[in-house]
């Protein structure tokens, strides 16, 4: 049985290449959802295995947002991408090699 709690749509090659690059400093927005009570919009300033840290657009305050169940939008120089936290639940330093090479934990 797969270890994935929910079905996640596969990433296109373009999305994998964009997400394998640097995403810190990009604009993000997350609408309210079951995993996030209020919407969050701002700049992505840090990432860990299970959280994003976002500097809010309305102030200099930062908030931690759990990746589990998270869906939103990421704006990169290459364009706007849908962001699904479940697909990025991996150590940031391993994200590049796993997204591009299909390592031991493949993204779907």
């Amino acid at each position: 049985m797969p270890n994935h709690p929910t079905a996640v749509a596969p990433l296109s090659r373009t999305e994998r290449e964009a997400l394998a690059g640097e995403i810190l400093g990009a604009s993000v927005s997350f609408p309210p959802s079951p995993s996030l009570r209020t919407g969050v919009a701002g700049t992505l300033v840090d990432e860990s295995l299970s959280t994003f840290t976002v500097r809010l657009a309305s102030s200099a305050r930062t908030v931690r947002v759990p990746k589990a169940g998270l869906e939103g939008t990421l704006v990169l120089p290459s364009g706007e991408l849908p962001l699904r936290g479940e697909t990025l639940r991996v150590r940031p330093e391993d994200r590049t090699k796993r997204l591009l090479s299909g390592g031991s934990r493949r993204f779907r």
Side-chain angles (χ1 to χ4, degrees):
M1 287 181 55
N3 292 334
H4 303 289
T6 59
V8 177
L11 295 172
S12 72
R13 180 173 180 79
T14 306
E15 288 174 328
R16 284 195 324 267
E17 288 174 356
L19 291 173
E22 186 60 57
I23 62 173
L24 295 183
S27 295
V28 293
S29 64
F30 305 112
S33 66
S35 63
L36 190 61
R37 260 188 276 178
T38 61
V40 173
T43 304
L44 188 63
V45 293
D46 198 12
E47 175 187 10
S48 70
L49 172 69
S50 59
T51 63
F52 289 123
T53 303
V54 178
R55 180 176 296 118
L56 299 176
S58 59
S59 68
R61 192 179 82 141
T62 59
V63 294
R64 286 188 181 261
V65 180
K67 290 180 180 178
L70 188 68
E71 291 191 15
T73 304
L74 175 71
V75 181
L76 295 172
S78 60
E80 193 172 289
L81 293 173
L83 181 64
R84 294 178 299 272
E86 289 296 328
T87 59
L88 295 178
R89 286 191 66 197
V90 64
R91 294 183 330 169
E93 56 270 22
D94 292 339
R95 182 168 27 94
T96 299
K97 63 185 170 189
R98 291 191 179 165
L99 276 172
L100 294 178
S101 68
S104 62
R105 180 174 174 188
R106 293 201 172 119
F107 290 88
R108 299 178 191 265

